[in-house]
Amino acid sequence: MTDPGVRTAPLASPIHAILLAFPVALYPAALVSDIAYLQTAVVQWTNFSQWLIAGADLFAGLLLAWALIAFFFGPGRRMGARGARGRSLLYLIVVASMFVTGFVNALQHAKDGWHSVGTAGLVMSIVCTVLALVAAFIVHSRTVVTETRS
């Protein structure tokens, strides 16, 4: 039984979770296609990676904008949620890092042939994948307890 003066609230809204789902799916798919290119040297895999990264970057940009709005105007700021500001700031840093790394990764993949993936492209795809999964873990790992006053 819960205390009637305390309620739990998720860190992110459902729209935020939908926007986060795209980078969580597309960055690992780009990593898999990078690995496939390194194994087969078929150029179509790099084209596939470019499109996956572009889609992930699009939604990562929207996600970053939504995270900024939530950080400055979200319910954690108004209701004084314990720990919500720290988690929101950490989440904002992770999403911003994911977006910047994804953008640089897109530029790396725009190069020609073998230079597009190589070591740098593969490492950036791994970093983007890990950051997307960390962002999802931060948002969905636990709820924030807020105190309601009447």
Side-chain angles (χ1 to χ4, degrees):
M1 184 154 208
T2 62
D3 184 6
V6 176
R7 69 177 185 84
T8 59
L11 184 63
S13 68
I15 294 172
H16 197 105
I18 291 168
L19 291 174
L20 180 60
F22 286 93
V24 167
L26 296 177
Y27 282 131
L31 174 62
V32 169
S33 66
D34 284 347
I35 292 169
Y37 176 67
L38 291 174
Q39 297 296 318
T40 63
V42 176
V43 176
Q44 189 60 31
W45 287 112
T46 62
N47 297 335
F48 194 48
S49 290
Q50 289 172 0
W51 281 105
L52 289 168
I53 292 168
D57 287 345
L58 171 71
F59 284 98
L62 294 172
L63 181 66
L64 179 59
W66 195 271
L68 280 167
I69 291 168
F71 181 73
F72 289 111
F73 303 109
R77 182 166 175 90
R78 289 191 306 263
M79 294 189 292
R82 293 175 286 182
R85 291 296 285 173
R87 284 183 67 217
S88 293
L89 179 62
L90 176 63
Y91 178 71
L92 183 61
I93 291 169
V94 169
V95 170
S97 301
M98 177 182 67
F99 176 71
V100 169
T101 306
F103 180 74
V104 174
N105 194 14
L107 295 177
Q108 176 69 27
H109 277 78
K111 291 181 179 177
D112 194 23
W114 185 257
H115 298 289
S116 67
V117 179
T119 304
L122 182 65
V123 168
M124 282 190 272
S125 290
I126 292 169
V127 170
C128 287
T129 299
V130 169
L131 288 172
L133 295 174
V134 167
F137 181 77
I138 291 170
V139 168
H140 299 294
S141 64
R142 80 186 229 293
T143 55
V144 177
V145 177
T146 59
E147 188 175 334
T148 57
R149 299 174 197 253
S150 47

